[in-house]
Amino acid sequence: MALRYLCCFLLLTRLVPAIAQSTPPISVETEHVSLVLAVGDKQRIFQTYLGPRLAATDHKLLPNRHEAYVPAGTDNLFEPALRVVHADGNPSMALAFADVQTSKTGDDVTTTTIHLRDPSYPVDVRLHFTAYYKEDVIKTWTEITHRENRPVVLTSYASAMLHFDARQYWLTQFHGDWAEEAKQEESRLTSGTKVIDTKLGTRAGWYQTPSFFLGLDKPAEETTGEVLAGSLAWTGNFRLAFELDNQNSLRVSAGINPYASEYTLPANQPFVTPEFIFTYSTTGKGQASRNLHRWARQHGGTLDGTQPRLTLLNNWESTFFDFNEAKLDGIMADAAKLGVDLFLLDDGWFGNKYPRNGDTQGLGDWQPTKTKLPNGVGHLVKTASKEGIKFGIWLEPEMVNPKSELAERHPDWLLKLPNRPDDLYRHQLVLDLNNPKVQDFVFNTVTEQLSKGVAYVKWDCNRMISSGYSQYLGKDQSHLYVDYVLGLYKVLERVRQQYPHLPMMLCSGGGARAEYGGLKYFTEFWPSDNTDAFERIFIQWGFSQFFPSNTIASHVTNWNRQHTLKFRTDVAMMGKLGYDIEVEKMTPDELKFSQQAVKDYKRLSPVIWQGDLFRLRSPYEGNQASLMYVDEAQRQAVVFGYNLHTRFLETVLPVKLQGLDPTKRYKVAEINLMPGQKSQLPAHGQTYSGDYLMKVGVLLSDGEAKPLTSHVLELTAQ
């Protein structure tokens, strides 16, 4: 009998609307999404709704089921958003509504700040929500301050907590390792807590990524289903927790991983969590991706997101560490011949006492090696200018080889445990960016090169933090992981104040820093050291879920010579095109093809970089992959189609296009053909209505459907 009454009570708490409050509901809204919060019992703030845009007249009818930002230590029985140990040792928090403020930045951006207070202690928590109306994106973060007589300790401090009620929940996560980044995996959440986190410090996204999809009721498809896409903007340890409780409600929290990071907070000093960025779609993952892409380009998710990018030639795979001034001069002439905008000099150009002829020494000594570059970086800048291109350079300013002049001069600058042997990875250690002197060193390392006329920087980070210990922090090491990232951001802020628009690539031995906390300082990121074109289709597919194409650096290389140059080029063209190849060894036809590909890419780059992405056929679901970009006016589109490992006599069906204007007529032309080659695609040279192309589709394979072949179509409205 008691159990029956308990069940009835729980049912009523789900169905009975909240009692009207003196404070009206708080609405955070975009064009198609509503997040509604309300003040309820004990002045607590509740999330009452998150989903498709809901009429404001109905907001007051929503029940108060889920406390929006749940503190630990009182009546909470599940995952907390915040845990604080007060100066007197009390490990509990309560949060009561104090006030709310709203401000607008133009017609498109609105920021809502909800101020909460602990009724018994002078602790203030502010929940910030910025809504981007046209992009259907919401950005949220938390600010914690106090006025206690001694520091308090933060042991959990989420950026966001969101609540959901559905029959089932399906999580799509992205994980991997070096050279196999952004592998996509989907699973149903079951009772308990699913945690995706990292404790790597610097290369935080090496094994897991801080981005995910959450499908409600059923797995979300590309064009159907309700789905939330979320991404944490933090270049360090992160934690995503998905807790399914006894009533089948889901609590999602996202933020800095508090592992080894109990944060001692002095009075009147704000602790600001990183931003959690999310969007909600009722029409599948594709629309969620497009929302995030538009937000990133338009609102600073990536630096200068609406501006052109540079095509480049890198020397790494053609020379590795073996080069000299004359050889580089010749490669720059080849870059100009190819038609790219910039030559990028990679690792191996620095160090004199310990010349950088391999990865065992010299890192940290950022002076040009005299035996390789007797006239320094300035000569290379001048050579590039004479060739009509720009000059860029590789740096790894956060790292150091123990065998270096820097390590000899400043052993106190290295993150390493006392009384333990060095734990080296790639023969290197991490510099201590908790230390302001190290921050100055890193800043000066970068700006010294830029002062010589360097026009582009590839900023690398090839190792994680292990055996981490900061001599600067002394006995209290609990700030190491958090303040390292904050120190990195201070350096990047200083660089950007001096060079606000200089293009830079964010690299971390691949895509281990693919997140929006770092990307706002960079124009692009390096998704993987694996440049095998077949593998890159999967890697770039994964990153395209959250990041726009103009941020995904994609190079034509010789990683797998079994792939044709055309196949490698077509794969690279669906991102931000670059080359890492020996131009001098190209045949005349290969050079002619590549020169034309660069010209076509530059002509079509406004569509590829700024257009809407539609993923048409997933490599995870068959032996083919295809996607397309459509410009805002729906007048131009570029379609990429790839045959992967199609089987003998496998039927290849037409691909139905998306995003076109059904009333317009589009002329279809296959581009990126080798010299003398003619298109065998039936659609080439034909004109179709947008309606036909989206309902019937076109073949993106020739009659034989050979494995590892590709086709690129240009569509132009007539």
Side-chain angles (χ1 to χ4, degrees), residues 91-136:
S92 67
M93 274 286 292
L95 293 175
F97 176 78
D99 61 67
V100 60
Q101 295 182 345
T102 302
S103 61
K104 296 198 71 172
T105 306
D107 296 329
D108 190 27
V109 183
T110 303
T111 297
T112 301
T113 300
I114 301 172
H115 179 194
L116 307 176
R117 278 200 179 117
D118 189 317
S120 302
Y121 287 85
V123 179
D124 296 272
V125 175
R126 289 174 171 83
L127 309 179
H128 301 275
F129 302 89
T130 297
Y132 298 87
Y133 185 82
K134 295 177 183 176
E135 292 76 20
D136 283 326

Side-chain angles (χ1 to χ4, degrees), residues 316-478:
W316 178 246
E317 291 196 23
S318 60
T319 68
F320 295 101
F321 295 99
D322 183 19
F323 57 81
N324 55 33
E325 194 174 87
K327 193 168 189 176
L328 295 180
D329 286 348
I331 295 175
M332 282 188 272
D334 289 339
K337 184 189 303 182
L338 185 61
V340 296
D341 304 308
L342 176 136
F343 168 71
L344 171 62
L345 173 60
D346 216 289
D347 194 358
W349 59 269
F350 50 88
N352 286 294
K353 182 178 179 180
Y354 302 106
R356 183 75 166 172
N357 295 318
D359 63 5
T360 62
Q361 64 182 37
L363 193 62
D365 302 339
W366 300 104
Q367 302 80 37
T369 305
K370 293 178 182 178
T371 54
K372 290 183 179 181
L373 304 177
N375 297 298
V377 171
H379 167 83
L380 301 176
V381 172
K382 289 179 182 177
T383 300
S385 180
K386 289 178 183 177
E387 296 290 349
I389 59 175
K390 299 178 184 294
F391 177 81
I393 205 162
W394 178 93
L395 294 170
E396 193 175 4
E398 301 165 64
M399 307 294 158
V400 61
N401 288 128
K403 193 174 182 180
S404 66
E405 292 185 80
L406 178 65
E408 292 173 349
R409 290 195 310 268
H410 298 287
D412 57 316
W413 285 10
L414 314 183
L415 289 179
K416 54 183 290 189
L417 285 168
N419 305 316
R420 304 283 185 193
D422 289 351
D423 180 38
L424 300 180
Y425 181 83
R426 206 175 181 246
H427 309 288
Q428 62 193 52
L429 293 169
V430 182
L431 290 174
D432 184 6
L433 278 174
N434 292 272
N435 188 334
K437 291 182 180 179
V438 177
Q439 295 172 23
D440 289 341
F441 170 79
V442 174
F443 171 76
N444 291 331
T445 293
V446 177
T447 55
E448 181 182 0
Q449 301 309 317
L450 299 182
S451 69
K452 296 174 182 176
V454 169
Y456 181 97
V457 170
K458 178 182 178 182
W459 185 307
D460 212 340
C461 168
N462 277 299
R463 72 152 295 163
M464 63 292 173
I465 295 175
S466 60
S467 301
Y469 180 90
S470 164
Q471 293 187 53
Y472 175 79
L473 292 177
K475 292 183 179 180
D476 184 7
Q477 295 292 311
S478 65

Side-chain angles (χ1 to χ4, degrees), residues 55 57 103 221-222 232 249 263 273 301 355 372 482 511 715:
T57 53
S103 61
E221 303 290 342
E222 190 68 23
L232 183 71
S249 294
Y263 205 89
T273 69
K372 290 183 179 181
V482 174
L715 276 61

Side-chain angles (χ1 to χ4, degrees), residues 409-695:
R409 290 195 310 268
H410 298 287
D412 57 316
W413 285 10
L414 314 183
L415 289 179
K416 54 183 290 189
L417 285 168
N419 305 316
R420 304 283 185 193
D422 289 351
D423 180 38
L424 300 180
Y425 181 83
R426 206 175 181 246
H427 309 288
Q428 62 193 52
L429 293 169
V430 182
L431 290 174
D432 184 6
L433 278 174
N434 292 272
N435 188 334
K437 291 182 180 179
V438 177
Q439 295 172 23
D440 289 341
F441 170 79
V442 174
F443 171 76
N444 291 331
T445 293
V446 177
T447 55
E448 181 182 0
Q449 301 309 317
L450 299 182
S451 69
K452 296 174 182 176
V454 169
Y456 181 97
V457 170
K458 178 182 178 182
W459 185 307
D460 212 340
C461 168
N462 277 299
R463 72 152 295 163
M464 63 292 173
I465 295 175
S466 60
S467 301
Y469 180 90
S470 164
Q471 293 187 53
Y472 175 79
L473 292 177
K475 292 183 179 180
D476 184 7
Q477 295 292 311
S478 65
H479 285 205
L480 189 154
Y481 288 113
V482 174
D483 284 354
Y484 181 96
V485 177
L486 297 179
L488 172 63
Y489 290 166
K490 287 178 183 177
V491 174
L492 292 170
E493 288 282 358
R494 291 171 64 187
V495 171
R496 283 306 173 198
Q497 287 173 7
Q498 194 163 332
Y499 298 93
H501 301 292
L502 182 107
M504 295 201 303
M505 178 197 293
L506 179 60
C507 181
S508 188
R513 279 183 164 174
E515 47 76 37
Y516 281 117
L519 193 55
K520 67 182 178 181
Y521 301 105
F522 292 81
T523 48
E524 59 224 56
F525 70 91
W526 183 238
S528 181
D529 285 346
N530 186 343
T531 55
D532 176 289
F534 172 77
E535 298 292 341
R536 267 301 185 109
I537 290 173
F538 289 86
I539 292 168
Q540 293 170 205
W541 190 272
F543 284 120
S544 80
Q545 312 286 332
F546 300 95
F547 303 101
S549 59
N550 63 347
T551 67
I552 303 175
S554 312
H555 292 183
V556 182
T557 78
N558 283 328
W559 179 295
N560 189 336
R561 292 175 183 268
Q562 293 180 344
H563 300 160
T564 66
L565 178 62
K566 171 179 168 50
F567 184 76
R568 287 176 273 153
T569 303
D570 289 352
V571 172
M573 281 183 68
M574 65 177 176
K576 206 230 73 171
L577 179 66
Y579 287 81
D580 196 337
I581 200 167
E582 295 173 278
V583 176
E584 65 179 357
K585 293 184 178 180
M586 286 182 171
T587 67
D589 276 353
E590 288 175 334
L591 178 60
K592 185 177 180 181
F593 165 80
S594 299
Q595 289 170 329
Q596 186 60 47
V598 172
K599 291 178 182 177
D600 284 340
Y601 183 79
K602 289 183 177 182
R603 178 173 58 83
L604 295 172
S605 59
V607 182
I608 297 171
W609 293 342
Q610 302 298 325
D612 278 337
L613 167 64
F614 295 88
R615 293 182 292 266
L616 307 174
R617 189 165 285 173
S618 170
Y620 285 92
E621 297 173 359
N623 292 321
Q624 300 135 48
S626 57
L627 56 81
M628 66 184 293
Y629 298 96
V630 184
D631 75 335
E632 186 176 6
Q634 297 175 300
R635 295 200 56 82
Q636 269 192 305
V638 184
V639 183
F640 296 88
Y642 307 98
N643 280 342
L644 305 179
H645 290 297
T646 45
R647 302 189 64 188
F648 179 66
L649 296 181
E650 178 178 346
T651 300
V652 178
L653 297 174
V655 176
K656 296 177 182 178
L657 307 188
Q658 297 176 32
L660 302 174
D661 183 338
T663 66
K664 287 187 171 73
R665 296 190 64 78
Y666 296 89
K667 185 174 182 179
V668 178
E670 183 175 8
I671 61 172
N672 264 27
L673 297 168
M674 293 297 292
Q677 180 185 5
K678 293 184 179 181
S679 175
Q680 301 300 312
L681 296 182
H684 174 69
Q686 302 298 317
T687 300
Y688 305 89
S689 70
D691 190 55
Y692 180 95
L693 292 170
M694 292 189 289
K695 291 178 179 176

